Amino acid sequence: MIAWLREELKLRKWDRKAQSLRASYSADIHKAYVANDWDKRNELIYQSDFEVSEYEDEVAEIRSNRLLRRARRLSLPIPSKHDVGDLWWQSRTLGTWALTDVAFAELRRAVRLEEKERRDVWLALGGMLVSLLSLVVAIIALLKP
């Protein structure tokens, strides 16, 4: 629980830093746009994207690792980085790996389905237990004089 909270605080911190970086560059980008200085504008856009990508890549890695832990706990198959396909991408700034949006969505759907199936089993057992307890209470009530 504490590790999850620590990760969540880190995610929010990185999101805030990325937003503030984009905001700090937007005024300069707008000035270059108004001045029709396309080279300066493109340079600023590239520079802001590069700096923001450090934070966004870190966020993507944390979210992917969190989902992978849930999938491992449920014994679900995890896509390999070495398989042919577009399931993983590597950060160009940090060199870390994260699931692509498509792979993330598929794995999240599988995790949710497995968690729902396991929860349904416990709910069915709980319903049967309540029925049995009700039957016992009814029998006890009938046996009392």
Side-chain angles (χ1 to χ4, degrees):
M1 179 69 171
I2 292 175
W4 178 85
L5 183 61
R6 193 175 307 130
E7 282 179 346
E8 194 62 33
L9 291 174
K10 187 185 261 188
L11 286 175
R12 290 176 189 216
K13 177 182 170 184
W14 293 150
D15 283 337
R16 282 192 310 271
K17 283 190 175 188
Q19 287 175 355
S20 68
L21 264 175
R22 286 201 190 280
S24 68
Y25 274 98
S26 67
D28 294 335
I29 291 171
H30 183 69
K31 287 178 187 174
Y33 174 76
V34 170
N36 287 331
D37 188 359
W38 302 110
D39 292 334
K40 179 72 171 171
R41 178 184 166 271
N42 290 337
E43 179 185 330
L44 287 170
I45 288 173
Y46 175 77
Q47 189 175 0
S48 73
D49 285 345
F50 181 77
E51 289 183 22
V52 167
S53 71
E54 292 180 33
Y55 299 112
E56 290 175 343
D57 293 350
E58 182 75 24
V59 167
E61 181 192 19
I62 291 171
R63 288 188 174 137
S64 292
N65 288 337
R66 184 185 292 176
L67 182 62
L68 290 171
R69 281 194 306 270
R70 284 176 63 192
R72 283 187 191 102
R73 190 172 47 240
L74 296 170
S75 299
L76 292 174
I78 296 171
S80 173
K81 293 177 189 172
H82 306 294
D83 289 344
V84 177
D86 297 326
L87 301 176
W88 291 89
W89 61 274
Q90 188 173 17
S91 166
R92 63 183 182 189
T93 55
L94 302 174
T96 59
W97 289 88
L99 290 168
T100 62
D101 293 336
V102 173
F104 189 88
E106 288 176 9
L107 188 58
R108 184 178 57 202
R109 189 174 317 124
V111 165
R112 287 180 176 173
L113 181 63
E114 183 65 26
E115 287 174 342
K116 182 183 182 301
E117 288 175 358
R118 290 182 181 200
R119 186 174 46 248
D120 288 346
V121 168
W122 284 106
L123 288 175
L125 290 173
M128 289 189 320
L129 181 63
V130 168
S131 298
L132 286 173
L133 288 175
S134 300
L135 181 64
V136 168
V137 168
I139 292 173
I140 291 172
L142 288 175
L143 293 176
K144 280 192 169 182

